[in-house]
Amino acid sequence: MPIVGAFVMPHPPLIIPSVGRGREREIKATVDACNEVARRIAALKPHTIVISSPHATLYRDYFHISPGRVARGSFAQYGAPQAAYEATYDTRLVRAIVNECNKEGIAAGTDYERDARLDHGTMIALHFIQSQLEDFDVVRIGLSGFSPAEHYRLGMAVQRAARGLDRRVVWLASGDLSHKLLKEGPYGFVPEGPAFDKRITADFASGDLVDVLAMDPSLCERAAECGLRSFQMMAGALDRTRVRAELLSYEGPFGVGYGVAAFEPLGEEGACEDADRLAAYLARRQEDLCNRRGQEDPYVQLARQSLEAYVREGTRVQPSGGLPGELLSTRAGCFVSLKVDGSLRGCIGTIAPTKKSLAEEICANAISAGTRDPRFRPVTASELDELVYDVDVLTTPEAIASKADLDPSRYGVIVSTKDGRRGLLLPDLDGVDDVDQQIRIAAQKGRIDLDFDDYQLERFEVVRHL
């Protein structure tokens, strides 16, 4: 059985005594659980430990697997250069993983390394493991901007590669939980923070790895979670394998959730058909998409039909009877947003009306969001069934005296200069929690320097159609 164990471990730097200088005692349950993980790993006698870390090299469209034979790092940036660690990489397993990914069309490899030094997510895992086990190799893998399914498939590739080399492999998924558990914490509080942690720790306790894949992207974004994609890769390494799951500890005294969990494989990988978690997740996801389509309001339905007709047939929908009267009789600016698995796939809009009716505005902006957003390649026909649409209808912008008149949950903001530069940000966006952040992002979109440019602020409200 190549994958002999899998574990989740957080990575707060202060858990290292020379960094924490006593504060590590405030998360004693986490420290004790991490030591327990190290003891269990040592008892398994693995040849290689695969460490997935949110702080290793990360690309939106590529899984980076660390190259070379030896890597080193330290906590010098945290004031503790004496806390230094070294890892020896399993080059044969790395090559085998890359080969498996190439066979399956997974964008992964050892190219484009930005920094060879070990990241703190990896070093914290090594800190505990090396206290119990001396002779082992490491494979270090970064996360990506790909879907939960693709992270799971990466884990499956590792499982196959380990089996092909007859390696005894342990997976260590490094990752914190929500960063927004306490108002007095470094990242503040949102209700989604504890909600995320409650759900993910329940999954760790029960072994419900399908739910780890199926977490609501909006909940995850608002909770400012750290390790979910790391956990999803780990789940893939346990594909079609029954597991005995155990939540070893959970605490969050500093406003960040720390969970430690263990997953013991029961039987051979690939032998348990009812543990085909990827198929179960994809079926649940398809059901959710179908339900969403069935509940679309006329605004969203019009946006979807417009883009689908344009991409599939090269035709433009002509709004006519059968639509609500306000779509045909009113004029307004609007934005159409496209998402896949919670990640933005396109967003284009107009601040003020440019068409004869709101219906025509929605149709035009839906096509532009799918085909003319410069941040993304045009949407293809094969992607249409995966898209989720939002339509935001804007009120007329109004000038405001200062940022005190803003509320990012209620108002969108426009930052503009006299020379015509303008940046806009919609309200109530996942991950945008304060006014300064909202203004900064809007200014960046308009290439406006808040420190040097003379700028004006406007606010607006939206009616959001999902």
Side-chain angles (χ1 to χ4, degrees):
M1 183 167 58
I3 307 298
V4 296
F7 301 88
V8 167
M9 184 182 290
H11 50 240
L14 61 76
I15 206 170
I16 305 298
S18 55
V19 176
R21 296 180 176 88
R23 292 203 71 194
E24 69 276 9
R25 291 192 290 270
E26 297 177 48
I27 49 170
K28 184 177 184 302
T30 299
V31 173
D32 291 346
C34 290
N35 281 319
E36 175 62 18
V37 165
R39 286 190 288 271
R40 294 190 188 191
I41 290 175
L44 291 170
K45 297 184 169 70
H47 178 280
T48 302
I49 299 174
V50 175
I51 301 176
S52 52
S53 172
H55 298 283
T57 299
L58 183 152
Y59 292 100
R60 185 177 64 84
D61 56 357
Y62 186 77
F63 290 107
H64 186 265
I65 305 172
S66 296
R69 181 58 178 158
V70 176
R72 300 174 180 85
S74 78
F75 283 87
Q77 69 183 102
Y78 298 97
Q82 69 275 24
Y85 302 86
E86 179 177 291
T88 301
Y89 290 142
D90 186 339
T91 56
R92 284 192 66 201
L93 183 55
V94 167
R95 287 195 298 271
I97 294 169
V98 174
N99 288 337
E100 288 292 336
C101 288
N102 288 338
K103 290 178 189 176
E104 296 298 320
I106 301 170
T110 56
D111 297 331
Y112 319 117
E113 184 172 53
R114 294 194 298 263
D115 188 346
R117 291 175 297 179
L118 297 174
D119 64 283
H120 74 268
T122 299
M123 289 189 291
I124 287 170
L126 293 176
H127 170 82
F128 288 97
I129 297 168
Q130 289 176 348
S131 71
Q132 301 289 331
L133 182 66
E134 293 183 357
D135 187 18
F136 65 92
D137 287 346
V138 170
V139 172
R140 181 169 65 135
I141 305 177
L143 312 183
S144 79
F146 289 133
S147 68
E150 202 70 359
H151 283 80
Y152 190 94
R153 291 180 66 228
L154 189 283
M156 293 172 64
V158 173
Q159 184 194 82
R160 291 191 299 271
R163 184 185 301 118
L165 294 180
D166 196 25
R167 286 280 199 274
R168 286 179 61 84
V169 171
V170 162
W171 192 295
L172 193 293
S174 177
D176 297 335
L177 306 185
S178 171
H179 283 61
K180 295 190 174 184
L181 299 180
L182 295 174
K183 184 176 181 180
E184 60 272 21
Y187 307 98
F189 171 83
V190 294
E192 291 85 356
F196 173 86
D197 281 15
K198 181 178 180 180
R199 181 167 167 183
I200 196 74
T201 53
D203 292 339
F204 290 164
S206 67
D208 188 353
L209 298 178
V210 175
D211 195 59
V212 171
L213 291 172
M215 296 284 282
D216 176 20
S218 181
L219 170 69
C220 300
E221 180 72 23
R222 290 177 181 269
E225 60 78 23
C226 165
L228 182 61
R229 288 170 291 172
S230 182
F231 312 150
Q232 290 166 345
M233 280 200 282
M234 177 201 70
L238 298 170
D239 181 61
R240 299 185 184 226
T241 306
R242 287 196 181 95
V243 296
R244 179 182 294 115
E246 185 178 359
L247 178 66
L248 298 175
S249 74
Y250 171 76
E251 54 187 344
F254 309 127
V256 178
Y258 305 136
V260 184
F263 302 87
E264 177 189 353
L266 303 174
E268 192 68 25
E269 291 97 338
C272 181
E273 290 296 328
D274 62 359
D276 186 351
R277 300 182 183 92
L278 182 58
Y281 160 68
L282 292 174
R284 184 189 299 187
R285 179 172 174 270
Q286 190 58 43
E287 182 180 358
D288 289 343
L289 284 169
C290 290
N291 290 338
R292 189 181 183 101
R293 292 283 166 89
Q295 297 170 7
E296 286 176 342
D297 78 1
Y299 293 73
V300 173
Q301 187 177 66
L302 180 61
R304 177 175 60 80
Q305 291 173 344
S306 298
L307 181 59
E308 289 178 349
Y310 187 83
V311 172
R312 288 187 172 130
E313 303 163 16
T315 60
R316 292 179 179 270
V317 169
Q318 299 300 321
S320 59
L323 293 172
E326 68 268 18
L327 276 170
L328 299 172
S329 63
T330 62
R331 301 179 70 227
C334 73
F335 275 73
V336 176
S337 302
L338 315 175
K339 292 183 180 179
V340 176
D341 289 312
S343 296
L344 188 67
R345 184 63 180 85
C347 179
I348 294 289
T350 45
I351 297 173
T354 63
K355 304 297 181 183
K356 294 179 181 179
S357 70
L358 177 55
E360 291 184 26
E361 203 84 32
I362 291 171
C363 291
N365 290 343
I367 292 171
S368 294
T371 63
R372 299 190 183 96
D373 189 327
R375 297 167 293 181
F376 304 95
R377 56 178 173 75
V379 167
T380 62
S382 63
E383 296 177 273
L384 291 173
D385 290 340
E386 306 296 314
L387 294 178
V388 171
Y389 296 73
D390 294 349
V391 176
D392 290 308
V393 180
L394 278 61
T395 63
T396 302
E398 60 179 351
I400 56 175
S402 73
K403 66 181 184 180
D405 296 318
L406 288 171
D407 176 351
S409 64
R410 177 180 177 183
Y411 297 111
V413 66
I414 300 169
V415 184
S416 60
T417 60
K418 291 180 180 179
D419 61 9
R421 285 174 291 158
R422 176 184 281 183
L424 175 148
L425 198 67
L426 296 169
D428 196 29
L429 295 178
D430 294 342
V432 179
D433 303 312
D434 62 70
V435 169
D436 289 332
Q437 181 187 18
Q438 185 188 39
I439 294 173
R440 183 174 64 253
I441 296 171
Q444 289 172 348
K445 293 173 72 173
R447 299 182 180 180
I448 296 169
D449 189 325
L450 297 173
D451 293 325
F452 295 99
D453 289 323
D454 184 17
Y455 63 90
Q456 297 81 43
L457 298 175
E458 296 174 274
R459 72 182 186 185
F460 59 91
E461 295 183 83
V462 304
V463 178
R464 178 158 293 165
H465 300 265
L466 304 173

